[in-house]
Amino acid sequence: MKLRAIILTAAILAAVSCSQSAKIIKTPVPARPAGQETMLQFAAEPIADVGIGVVGLGDRGSGAVHRLSFVPGSHVAAICDVEPDRAEKNLKVLESRGMTAKVYAGDEEVYKQLCEDPDVDLVYICTDWVHHVPVALYAMEHGKHVALEVPSAETLQACWDLVNTSERTRKHCMILENCCYDFFELTALTMAQQGVFGDIIHVEGSYHHNLDPYWDNYWHNWRLDFNQKYRGDLYPTHGFGPVCQALNIHRGDRLTTLVAMDTDAFNGPKLVEKRTGKPCTDFQNGDETMTMIRTAKGKSILIEHDVMTPRPYDRMYQLVGTDGYAAKYPVGQVCLRTETTGEVDYEDLEFEKVYEGDELEALMAQYRNPILTPELEALAKEVGGHGGMDFIMDYRLVYCLNNGLPLDMDVYDLAEWCCVTELSRISIENGCVPVEIPDFTRGEWDKIQGFSYAFAN
């Protein structure tokens, strides 16, 4: 904790220094093209049995095929990968459950055939990051709703392309941010919405994950290659998405300004040299990246990214309210304000009520999230996917499509959570200066008051 405090203090001092010596870097917000309409609270026509086409059948895509075969109200209509053996492997998984699907495989543009398939209603994209946006744009242009794995987009231009295409085609474009469906995050969000923590004023999220055992598992080593080529927070959404929901981003508040800084690249070059046998002098991404964000309503956010060090897995997920606090990492706990009476013991540094262990479980049991029925929770834990949160995400997506409801996460969530990658790079490469965060809703961020889930009558 002491090291973390030192790092955070350094980041704050850098931000103050930069704000005094430089103007905020502006980012343009293009006017909405004629004929386009907002996707806020957009509800498409109900689809009784959602035909799903899964593009990209690596670890993530194969897991999706397995989970989706258990989701009621849907079926896997088609699967697609550039590697035919991956497609055949997943077809056998479906056949073992008495199901089948069309197979598209062979070359890098074979996804277009899946997107043009009339039996596909939703294109579920699990490719490497580079192909997320091209597949999504082509799918929407051909009348399909899309769901993209994280991070869904890496540049501001890609974010705007997805927003504009979704608005113009009237097709959903959802980010597959599974951490928004983690059991702790779901419960803490409900507690926040019911005022248990008072007014949420500061939040923290991160992606601390030592990827040493995984680098070689990525197709053509694409993930390490991405870190070598690009600087900034390349994977912000696991920590960022859930806390944005707690702050009601574009549902009464919006992101306004960002400041980022990073360390040098210490471990990255070693990873490349180990694999190539050649010196690496151009590795871009630092081992640790920190991004601070301020909102229109005066709230603050801290996001961190570190996939290079042996630091324990940690998404932080911390909500700081005027009357309470919740954190999942490093120790799950809730702290609530208590009344002090009598003399103060200055050796006692904790004046709040701390809930941990069994006491925490009992407290959180009082605030079950409305989407988490006992039946869904049991099925999610049985099917799996990061403890069940992946299945809950899939279930909610299909449920909303079945019933013609707005999705839990819209295209503006996608753009807001993903734009941090390029904006953090811009801030870092310009001496950690403040950077303006564009309003992807184009002025409609306060038309809805409060994040909520849609339900069928």
Side-chain angles (χ1 to χ4, degrees):
M1 294 298 290
K2 185 176 181 180
L3 175 61
R4 176 170 146 66
I6 292 172
I7 293 174
L8 181 55
T9 300
I12 293 171
L13 291 175
V16 172
S17 173
C18 289
S19 65
Q20 293 174 343
S21 61
K23 294 181 179 180
I24 294 176
I25 294 178
K26 301 289 186 180
T27 54
V29 176
R32 178 172 282 137
Q36 288 184 196
E37 297 179 21
T38 182
M39 292 296 285
L40 288 171
Q41 293 295 290
F42 171 74
E45 287 296 316
I47 305 172
D49 184 20
V50 180
I52 304 174
V54 181
V55 180
L57 301 172
D59 288 342
R60 242 359 234 154
S62 296
V65 170
H66 167 74
R67 295 191 313 272
L68 290 167
S69 70
F70 289 89
V71 177
S74 70
H75 64 282
V76 178
I79 53 178
C80 174
D81 197 276
V82 295
E83 304 285 354
D85 59 329
R86 290 184 175 183
E88 290 301 321
K89 178 182 176 181
N90 279 271
L91 180 61
K92 290 179 180 178
V93 169
L94 292 173
E95 290 175 343
S96 71
R97 290 190 31 77
M99 304 173 181
T100 191
K102 298 177 185 176
V103 174
Y104 297 98
D107 63 67
E108 287 204 10
E109 292 200 339
V110 71
Y111 70 85
K112 293 182 177 180
Q113 297 177 38
L114 180 144
C115 294
E116 295 166 4
D117 189 328
D119 294 329
V120 172
D121 304 300
L122 168 70
V123 178
Y124 196 107
I125 303 167
C126 302
T127 65
D128 62 296
W129 300 348
V130 173
H131 290 89
H132 282 175
V133 174
V135 177
L137 295 177
Y138 193 86
M140 285 188 284
E141 294 287 4
H142 287 79
K144 314 302 183 185
H145 299 299
V146 299
L148 296 90
E149 261 298 346
V150 298
S152 304
E154 298 290 338
T155 66
L156 284 174
Q157 184 60 58
C159 289
W160 280 116
D161 287 345
L162 292 171
V163 167
N164 284 328
T165 304
S166 178
E167 289 183 347
R168 176 169 50 78
T169 62
R170 314 308 292 159
K171 294 298 174 183
H172 287 298
C173 182
M174 176 180 142
I175 182 171
L176 289 167
E177 185 39 77
N178 57 345
C179 294
C180 290
Y181 298 92
D182 176 89
F183 295 105
F184 188 97
E185 276 93 322
L186 284 171
T187 306
L189 175 61
T190 302
M191 296 175 76
Q193 291 173 327
Q194 295 188 21
V196 175
F197 309 122
D199 190 18
I200 303 298
I201 60 174
H202 174 76
V203 296
E204 300 186 10
S206 72
Y207 188 69
H208 299 145
H209 189 186
N210 176 19
L211 292 183
D212 283 353
Y214 306 107
W215 291 115
D216 293 329
N217 290 348
Y218 294 103
W219 182 68
H220 292 186
N221 213 28
W222 62 262
R223 188 159 182 176
L224 182 59
D225 182 61
F226 217 94
N227 277 267
Q228 182 175 353
K229 291 179 179 178
Y230 301 104
R231 199 172 180 185
D233 189 331
L234 302 185
Y235 202 72
T237 69
H238 279 343
F240 197 32
V243 297
C244 280
Q245 289 184 336
L247 287 178
N248 298 316
I249 298 303
H250 85 249
R251 299 167 178 88
D253 200 355
R254 82 172 189 90
L255 310 172
T256 58
T257 310
L258 169 156
V259 175
M261 68 184 303
D262 63 357
T263 67
D264 285 347
F266 294 98
N267 282 317
K270 298 176 185 177
L271 292 170
V272 175
E273 291 168 6
K274 179 180 178 180
R275 284 157 177 76
T276 64
K278 300 177 182 178
C280 176
T281 59
D282 62 347
F283 201 94
Q284 295 299 305
N285 209 25
D287 283 21
E288 170 82 22
T289 301
M290 295 157 289
T291 305
M292 293 180 294
I293 300 169
R294 188 171 172 84
T295 78
K297 294 294 183 67
K299 314 295 181 65
S300 60
I301 305 170
L302 171 65
I303 303 296
E304 295 184 1
H305 176 264
D306 173 7
V307 295
M308 295 292 177
T309 75
R311 189 172 184 170
Y313 183 87
D314 184 348
R315 297 199 305 273
M316 292 197 323
Y317 189 75
Q318 297 181 20
L319 306 181
V320 181
T322 54
D323 295 311
Y325 165 86
K328 181 170 183 181
Y329 299 93
V331 176
Q333 62 179 195
V334 166
C335 303
L336 301 179
R337 187 188 296 280
T338 60
E339 295 295 330
T340 57
T341 58
E343 294 186 8
V344 175
D345 179 2
Y346 290 99
E347 296 297 322
D348 182 4
L349 301 181
E350 295 185 357
F351 298 108
E352 61 282 336
K353 170 62 177 175
V354 180
Y355 295 83
E356 295 179 335
D358 292 342
E359 198 172 22
L360 175 61
E361 286 190 22
L363 174 66
M364 299 188 81
Q366 302 174 36
Y367 297 94
R368 177 177 285 273
N369 189 282
I371 69 172
L372 200 58
T373 64
E375 295 77 16
L376 175 56
E377 181 175 355
L379 183 57
K381 290 180 177 179
E382 178 185 347
V383 175
H386 291 94
M389 64 183 182
D390 294 1
F391 182 81
I392 298 171
M393 172 184 69
D394 296 334
Y395 178 94
R396 278 293 301 176
L397 170 56
V398 170
Y399 172 87
C400 291
L401 292 175
N402 286 158
N403 292 282
L405 300 171
L407 304 187
D408 298 343
M409 299 175 287
D410 60 29
V411 71
Y412 308 114
D413 291 307
L414 182 155
E416 290 157 354
W417 303 351
C418 292
C419 75
V420 171
T421 293
E422 182 169 7
L423 295 181
S424 62
R425 176 187 61 77
I426 292 171
S427 176
I428 290 168
E429 292 182 348
N430 286 277
C432 308
V433 299
V435 179
E436 190 176 73
I437 301 173
D439 173 16
F440 291 98
T441 71
R442 295 177 168 107
E444 298 175 334
W445 57 272
D446 59 352
K447 295 292 179 66
I448 302 168
Q449 293 299 313
F451 172 83
S452 62
Y453 299 99
F455 293 96
N457 294 329

